[in-house]
Every structure is written in C-alpha cells, then in structure tokens.
Amino acid sequence: MSRLANVKKSIARSQLWTAFFRHGYPDTDRNRVLVIMSNVLLHLHPVKVRKSGVKMKYTWCAGGLSFFLFLLETITGLLLMFYYRPTIEYAYVDIIDLREQVPLGIMRELHRWGAHAMVIAVWVHMFRVFMTGSYKPPREFNWNVGVILLVLTLLLSFTGYLLPWDQLAIWAITVGSNMARATPFLGHEGPGAALLRVGDVSLVHIGDDVRFALLGGRFVGAGTLLRFYVLHCVAIPLIAGFGMAIHFWRVRKDGGISGPL
Amino acid sequence: MTDSRQSPPTSPTAAPTRRAENILGAEGLSGLRGKTSRRGFFPWLGLAWVSITAGFAMLAGVSLRFLFPNVLFEPPSTFKAGFPSEYEVGAVDERFKSKFGVWIVRDEATLFALSTICTHLGCTPNWLGGEQKFKCPCHGSGFYIDGMNFEGPAPRPLERYKIYVADDGQVVVDKNSKYQWEKGQWDNPESFVSMA
C-alpha cells in the first residue's frame, strides 16, 4: 500500500506530470478554480455553474447541442475535404463518389443532417434564451454576439448548399443570391444604386456590385463554386469560432447561465 | 499638495530624475535633450497612428479589389446569331440558350431576343413546343412565345435584349441593353429586327 502511494507520489512530482497539471487534485475550492483558470479551453467556462444551469428543463441544452453539432460539422467536413474538389468538372462526381465508393458512405449524410440539426438547435437555443429572459442586461451584449452566430450558421448552410453542384444547388443559389441585387447602394438593382453614377457611367452595375463579389461572376458558375467552398470551409468557420469563444467567455463574465427568476 | 516630490515637472525638459538616469544610462534625460522633447513627441505619435491607419485602410482596399477579377471566363455579352433568313416564323431558336441565355424568336413582322431568366426568381424556363409556352421548372411560371407572363408567380414578362443586323448581314444580340414590356420599351426599334 505504501509502495503504491510512493509510486503515485513520484508520478505526481515528476516533471512530465507537473508540466501538464500545475495544481493539486481538485479537492479544494482553490484547486477547483485553478483547474478551470489554468486551462486555455476550460477558462472560457465558468468555474461554478448554478444548479438550474445544468437542468435540461431550464436550458434544453440547446446551446451545448449547437456547439456539439458545430464540432461534428468541423470533423465530418474536414474528412469530406479529403475527397471533394470544388471545380465544375469534379464537384458533382466527387459527391457521388463519397456516397458510392468511399468507405463509410454515410459521412456526407452525417454532415448534411448535422447541418440541418445545427440550424434547428441554434433556433431552439435562441428561443430558450428569449423565453427565460436571458437576453436582458447584463447579457444584452452576448445576445448580440448570439445573433451574429445565428447569421453565420445560416451563411454556413447557404454556402454549403451549393457545393454538391446539382440542379437544386445551382438554382437555389441563383435564386438566393438574387436577393443581393437589391442591396441598398451596393447591389445594382437596389435603392440608391442608380444615384451612384458619373455622367452616363453607372458605378454600381452587374459587373461590380456586391452580388458579383459574392459570386465571382455575373451568374452562378465556376468562380462561385470556389468562392463558396472557401467561405464554407475556411472563412465562416474561422469567424464563427472566434464568435463562439467570445460567446462562451461572455457567459462566464456575465455571471454564468441565467437562473430562474 | 506642498510636497514637491508629488508635483509634475514644470517644463517638458525638466531635470532628469534618479530613476531616468538608471534607465537611460549616465547621461540620463539630458542625452535626449535637443532631439525629441516630450511635447514634440506627440505630433510624431499622431503621424505614426495616421500612417498605420492609412496603411491598413490601403490593405483593406486592395484586398477588396482583389475580389473583382479583371478577366471573366464567361461567354461574351455580345454575340452573332446567324442570318435573319435562318429563322422560321413562329419558331423558338434554342441554339443560344445554354451558352448565352437567349432565345431568338421570329414572328410575322419581327425577330427578337428573349432573356431566359425567369422574372420571378431567376431560374431558366423551358420552351414547351407542344403547349407553345415557356414553363419555369422552379415555381411554375408560364410565358407565351412573345414573353408575356400568363400563369404562375412571375410578376412581369420576360425581358428582351438589344438585337440588330450587322454590316455583314448577320444578326447581333447585345445583352448589355435590355427592354422591358412594363416600361413600354418593346416599342423601341433596338429591341427587334423588322422582318417586314
């Protein structure tokens, strides 16, 4: 028994162990705080959670589910990237290949259904936060961060929609991106765009407006597929990742998950 | 308040303190005197901030410009479409549909170029010869052969493009100009080629 205790003690005092764990066992309040505060990932999380904060009945765990689904999308999406090529020539056949030939043909379906589930989870989370009044001060800042994350979630869905490059994808993005034509001042059919002209030359036209920047062309084509791919796989997840870090950290700074009134 | 150690230096070139001596070496602040005064430092600080802001603004502008390519690998917006005599009365020519997004239609008196973009949400309708109508697969909008909408959600007729006969006798379609019925623009002689 004492020999075992000695082994445990020598492990706990070894350089390797102390390099990873900079505090004692979390059996005191101080060490419990240190566990959270000395870890870059855990420190986003509150040290203590209210009893109501861990009740499914109160939170529905909708925010946690949203984050879990984001992680699921990140992992399955990363795996899909090993096979998918975002060009007109290959995009559609690579999707078929992923379904028919690649081991675990369900990977793309996981990504797709996970995406649907994430949109639902984010809305449910928003509904819960609204119904429990958790958007009220001091949490109003975090509500706005959440609104941005909601928009990013929808943009992730929208950009991912095009990637299979089938008829549904092409026409859905054609219809969806037509909305950008009507952007005030920045879209060539939007209000105010007609005012931006020098003499007879229109400064905002179909070849240089905001829709053009989004599509990389005058219509949905090869440039659009590549742009949406980069936005879907790199740009938006990166921004959403930063937003989530702020969102979680802000929950802690605003006093943890709100409690029942 | 009378404590002299608490009061700030009366001039920017106040005598060096002991601490400054330690940091700046034996000469202390006197080594900097005549080079940059405390007051003279702030214009430089301001200039530095303005330069950095301008630099980043320029980078942002260049990055934005980067998103707009100089060359597009898209079909040209103006194209030649054969001779007027090739077109039969009452026929819809679909040769230029997939590449240029244009139907060329010949009726008794005129030849005109119809846009293949549905005026509802921008899908591409199909020409159904048997039913003599353009039918959009997305939401079911229908258009007559002249482009007039008659069923489904499309709010207005198909648009027409500029069309004329070039010097070599060939029909030219120019998609840079469009003519809308609801604006009375189909009467514009540039929107059709007279076949009378």
Side-chain angles (χ1 to χ4, degrees), chain A:
Chain A
M1 186 63 203
S2 67
R3 183 174 288 177
L4 190 66
N6 278 338
V7 170
K8 275 170 82 176
K9 196 187 271 182
S10 67
I11 289 176
R13 285 181 180 172
S14 67
Q15 190 177 2
L16 193 67
W17 184 270
T18 52
F20 277 99
F21 304 103
R22 314 232 165 172
H23 44 73
Y25 293 113
D27 48 7
T28 63
D29 274 353
R30 184 175 179 276
N31 281 348
R32 285 183 192 124
V33 172
L34 284 173
V35 167
I36 302 292
M37 300 305 284
S38 65
N39 184 302
V40 69
L41 297 176
L42 289 182
H43 98 278
L44 295 171
H45 195 267
V47 172
K48 288 182 178 177
V49 182
R50 239 188 227 105
K51 216 174 181 179
S52 61
V54 291
K55 276 189 178 155
M56 281 291 289
K57 188 181 153 193
Y58 185 69
T59 65
W60 299 344
C61 200
L65 271 176
S66 305
F67 182 56
F68 166 77
L69 288 164
F70 179 80
L71 292 180
L72 175 81
E73 293 302 277
T74 306
I75 293 166
T76 55
L78 197 78
L79 291 169
L80 293 175
M81 283 172 77
F82 287 126
Y83 288 95
Y84 175 80
R85 288 164 289 182
T87 61
I88 290 180
E89 194 180 1
Y90 293 121
Y92 182 70
V93 290
D94 284 351
I95 294 289
I96 301 296
D97 181 55
L98 273 164
R99 192 179 68 201
E100 304 290 342
Q101 307 300 337
V102 176
L104 292 173
I106 201 174
M107 196 63 74
R108 198 206 140 213
E109 320 306 328
L110 274 177
H111 194 75
R112 187 180 134 82
W113 287 108
H116 287 305
M118 185 173 160
V119 171
I120 294 168
V122 167
W123 280 115
V124 170
H125 176 54
M126 204 165 197
F127 181 67
R128 190 284 289 177
V129 167
F130 186 79
M131 294 311 282
T132 56
S134 307
Y135 57 87
K136 292 174 184 172
R139 298 186 174 83
E140 75 276 32
F141 180 88
N142 219 10
W143 169 265
N144 285 285
V145 176
V147 170
I148 293 169
L149 286 172
L150 167 76
V151 173
L152 289 174
T153 305
L154 299 180
L155 284 178
L156 277 168
S157 278
F158 185 65
T159 50
Y161 202 174
L162 181 66
L163 301 186
W165 201 248
D166 52 10
Q167 286 294 313
L168 176 67
I170 294 168
W171 294 109
I173 300 305
T174 297
V175 170
S177 63
N178 273 341
M179 280 189 281
R181 290 170 185 265
T183 313
F185 294 104
L186 298 179
H188 71 280
E189 289 174 4
L195 301 173
L196 300 174
R197 53 168 57 242
V198 177
D200 274 352
V201 182
S202 178
L203 293 181
V204 180
H205 54 78
I206 192 166
D208 74 347
D209 70 345
V210 67
R211 175 175 167 275
F212 182 91
L214 181 68
L215 298 187
R218 291 183 167 87
F219 50 83
V220 176
T224 316
L225 183 58
L226 188 56
R227 270 179 198 212
F228 273 44
Y229 177 74
V230 173
L231 287 172
H232 185 77
C233 299
V234 184
I236 302 176
L238 209 63
I239 300 169
F242 271 114
M244 273 179 261
I246 294 170
H247 198 59
F248 302 157
W249 174 78
R250 200 66 235 176
V251 169
R252 168 162 85 82
K253 300 305 278 186
D254 291 337
I257 294 170
S258 68
L261 296 171

Side-chain angles (χ1 to χ4, degrees), chain B:
Chain B
M1 291 301 286
T2 55
D3 190 346
S4 62
R5 285 174 301 169
Q6 294 290 324
S7 62
T10 48
S11 93
T13 53
T17 62
R18 263 186 86 81
R19 182 160 167 72
E21 234 172 52
N22 291 340
I23 295 167
L24 297 170
E27 280 191 300
L29 275 178
S30 59
L32 292 174
R33 194 173 296 159
K35 291 174 186 164
T36 306
S37 67
R38 186 182 174 84
R39 199 167 289 273
F41 169 71
F42 282 98
W44 287 107
L45 185 69
L47 187 69
W49 273 111
V50 169
S51 317
I52 265 192
T53 309
F56 275 105
M58 214 162 67
L59 282 178
V62 170
S63 306
L64 194 66
R65 178 63 185 85
F66 184 78
L67 293 176
F68 295 88
N70 292 325
V71 177
L72 283 179
F73 299 94
E74 293 177 350
S77 52
T78 304
F79 64 94
K80 290 197 170 177
F83 295 94
S85 52
E86 291 174 23
Y87 295 93
E88 291 172 33
V89 175
V92 172
D93 191 303
E94 299 210 87
R95 282 181 295 167
F96 308 104
K97 180 184 173 184
S98 63
K99 187 172 181 188
F100 296 103
V102 171
W103 287 298
I104 298 182
V105 185
R106 164 86 203 266
D107 62 16
E108 289 292 341
T110 61
L111 190 67
F112 53 87
L114 273 182
S115 161
T116 63
I117 299 170
C118 179
T119 52
H120 176 225
L121 287 174
C123 297
T124 303
N126 297 308
W127 170 246
L128 307 180
E131 298 172 51
Q132 286 290 299
K133 68 178 182 183
F134 299 104
K135 186 72 173 170
C136 186
C138 286
H139 308 96
S141 296
F143 306 86
Y144 291 125
I145 189 169
D146 60 352
M148 296 298 293
N149 55 316
F150 69 97
E151 64 177 352
R156 57 194 179 87
L158 295 173
E159 293 173 355
R160 294 185 184 185
Y161 291 123
K162 183 175 177 177
I163 188 169
Y164 58 93
V165 178
D167 293 339
D168 63 358
Q170 285 202 62
V171 173
V172 177
V173 176
D174 180 358
K175 289 170 65 186
N176 293 310
S177 303
K178 61 182 185 185
Y179 302 90
Q180 292 166 244
W181 174 84
E182 68 276 14
K183 293 183 180 174
Q185 292 168 333
W186 283 7
D187 297 330
N188 189 322
E190 286 186 337
S191 71
F192 58 86
V193 167
S194 181
M195 303 295 284

